[in-house]
Amino acid sequence: MSKAFTVKNGDKILFLGEGNFSFSQNFVQKCYYEDLEVGNNLTTDVQIFATCLQEEKVDATEVRSRNISYLQEHGVKVLHCVDATKIHDHPSLRSQAFTKVVFMFPHVGGKMKIHLNRELLQGIFESSQHVLDTEGILIITLCAGQGGTPYETKIRRNDDTWKILEISQDCGFCLVDIGHFPAKQFPEYSQVGYRSLQKGFNIQDSIVHVFQKGDDLPYKPIQDLETIDVYLSTKENKHKNEKNCRQLYPLTHQHHLSFWCDNQISETELQKIGEACLGEVIQQIQTIDRYKDPCSGRTSQTISVVYQSLDHPVGPKRSYHLHYHIFGQSLANVFKVKLR
């Protein structure tokens, strides 16, 4: 967790969903008294924006007002009515390039709304990518069990989690660091929001997830046999991870593909096509079924394809797109098969 809650000169940090602003207040306080690299140059060398969804006078409390005053006195820009899913539309934020975007315990409020919390996460990822610096990181802290990563000590069924890996990788983000929230470093942080009330909630064993935007590689279908050698000869550059951010817990997806062909296509030929159009994202290709129509003489072939990448985010929706629209279309182009 070396990157998450440290500050260096030149940082531009955005806090989302602050509520009572106690975390951003404690963070700034920690910068002044503990971060020797920044020291008292915080207001000149580091820019911080602290935001919340509520209007200024809604849910106003003495603690909140005191924290806002502290932040403003220390050069922090405080903004109200900021929707974390629409940062890229906010006039004061859309042109920024943040080195860190931080959201502590996002939640839509209420109970039994897991699908809405997944939509909230998706909105945060989709919007944050527009305001993050090239090497910027997105930090999301969730209560124990919510995220559903293998790091969790509180294990839930996958369909009972917020599926943060699936959502982040579909939005093009790599999980690059993870750890437990160091609550003792922020003793003044008073988290509230339990069931949309000014009431605290349990943060024991909560998890800090650190994400970085992955490369947007322009995967395209192979058009014909003649271009395969060209693709393979340039694959080192074509599929290179320019940001050099290897993700933790890459997802694995398995899809089947059936097609009609004049003659069976060997696994060697299939692997060559897969390597040319998708590189190491395709881990395995195997023929699992074949059938020859006695009337037409055509062969039906069904293959199983496994997708996974340490270097590039591949979520469920992305893997589906790669499978049918890139790899499947490449087979149709090169071997003139008819996808079923």
Side-chain angles (χ1 to χ4, degrees):
M1 299 303 301
S2 58
K3 293 183 179 180
F5 301 120
T6 59
V7 181
K8 64 180 184 300
N9 288 322
D11 267 346
K12 183 180 286 190
I13 303 171
L14 171 63
F15 290 97
L16 298 170
E18 268 297 275
N20 63 11
F21 291 90
S22 62
F23 183 76
S24 51
Q25 184 275 334
N26 205 182
F27 182 89
V28 171
Q29 188 178 55
K30 179 177 179 291
C31 291
Y32 266 103
Y33 296 106
E34 296 181 22
D35 197 316
L36 301 179
E37 180 184 354
V38 176
N40 290 325
N41 292 323
L42 179 66
T43 55
T44 57
D45 295 333
V46 175
Q47 297 181 57
I48 297 180
F49 293 70
T51 72
C52 70
L53 178 62
Q54 297 90 343
E55 296 180 3
E56 186 172 0
K57 295 182 180 181
V58 174
D59 295 333
T61 63
E62 181 180 347
V63 171
R64 184 185 184 194
S65 299
R66 184 171 63 248
N67 290 334
I68 290 175
S69 296
Y70 179 93
L71 291 169
Q72 292 174 330
E73 289 170 3
H74 289 78
V76 176
K77 180 71 172 178
V78 176
L79 299 173
H80 296 83
C81 301
V82 175
D83 186 338
T85 66
K86 298 178 181 178
I87 317 167
H88 59 292
D89 289 332
H90 194 282
S92 298
L93 302 174
R94 61 190 176 200
S95 61
Q96 304 292 340
F98 293 100
T99 56
K100 286 187 177 72
V101 174
V102 183
F103 202 145
M104 301 296 295
F105 304 103
H107 200 283
V108 297
K111 191 178 181 182
M112 304 301 290
K113 296 181 179 179
I114 196 167
H115 66 291
L116 295 180
N117 285 309
R118 290 172 185 163
E119 291 175 5
L120 173 61
L121 282 184
Q122 180 177 336
I124 295 168
F125 281 112
E126 290 177 344
S127 188
S128 294
Q129 62 184 318
H130 298 289
V131 298
L132 275 172
D133 185 64
T134 305
E135 301 296 327
I137 58 175
L138 171 61
I139 301 164
I140 297 178
T141 303
L142 299 179
C143 293
Q146 287 179 338
T149 71
Y151 190 85
E152 298 279 3
T153 54
K154 183 178 181 179
I155 307 301
R156 297 182 182 178
R157 299 190 325 270
N158 187 53
D159 61 356
D160 192 34
T161 73
W162 293 16
K163 298 186 177 182
I164 196 168
L165 288 177
E166 289 88 335
I167 294 170
S168 61
Q169 292 186 35
D170 265 338
C171 292
F173 280 84
C174 298
L175 179 67
V176 296
D177 201 2
I178 193 169
H180 289 290
F181 173 57
K184 291 183 179 180
Q185 294 183 25
F186 302 94
E188 304 300 320
Y189 175 39
S190 56
Q191 67 285 348
V192 294
Y194 176 74
R195 297 192 181 181
S196 303
L197 303 173
Q198 290 294 321
K199 184 178 178 181
F201 51 88
N202 183 18
I203 62 171
Q204 183 177 355
D205 296 326
S206 55
I207 306 295
V208 181
H209 309 78
V210 181
F211 298 93
Q212 188 173 4
K213 188 74 172 68
D215 289 328
D216 290 323
L217 294 179
Y219 291 120
K220 295 180 180 179
I222 301 297
Q223 297 302 318
D224 49 52
L225 282 169
E226 286 70 22
T227 60
I228 292 179
D229 290 336
V230 176
Y231 276 85
L232 291 178
S233 65
T234 60
K235 69 177 181 178
E236 293 298 328
N237 293 324
K238 178 178 173 59
H239 303 299
K240 184 179 179 181
N241 181 351
E242 297 293 342
K243 293 185 178 179
N244 197 30
C245 57
R246 305 206 86 187
Q247 62 179 337
L248 305 174
Y249 315 125
L251 297 173
T252 301
H253 312 277
Q254 184 176 25
H255 296 292
H256 294 167
L257 188 67
S258 296
F259 48 85
W260 291 106
C261 53
D262 293 332
N263 297 292
Q264 181 178 328
I265 305 173
S266 71
E267 291 180 3
T268 300
E269 292 174 304
L270 292 169
Q271 193 68 49
K272 189 174 182 180
I273 295 290
E275 185 178 0
C277 64
L278 292 173
E280 49 82 33
V281 174
I282 289 185
Q283 297 289 309
Q284 183 185 66
I285 302 176
Q286 183 178 9
T287 297
I288 58 174
D289 188 38
R290 61 178 64 90
Y291 163 77
K292 188 168 184 177
D293 189 308
C295 297
S296 66
R298 293 189 306 171
T299 297
S300 173
Q301 185 172 348
T302 300
I303 60 175
S304 170
V305 187
V306 177
Y307 298 85
Q308 186 197 72
S309 176
L310 284 170
D311 295 321
H312 307 297
V314 182
K317 294 179 182 178
R318 281 192 162 200
S319 71
Y320 184 90
H321 171 77
L322 296 177
H323 184 64
Y324 289 99
H325 299 288
I326 306 299
F327 180 60
Q329 189 58 52
S330 295
L331 292 182
N333 293 341
V334 174
F335 294 110
K336 310 304 178 187
V337 303
K338 183 177 181 180
L339 301 180
R340 298 178 58 187

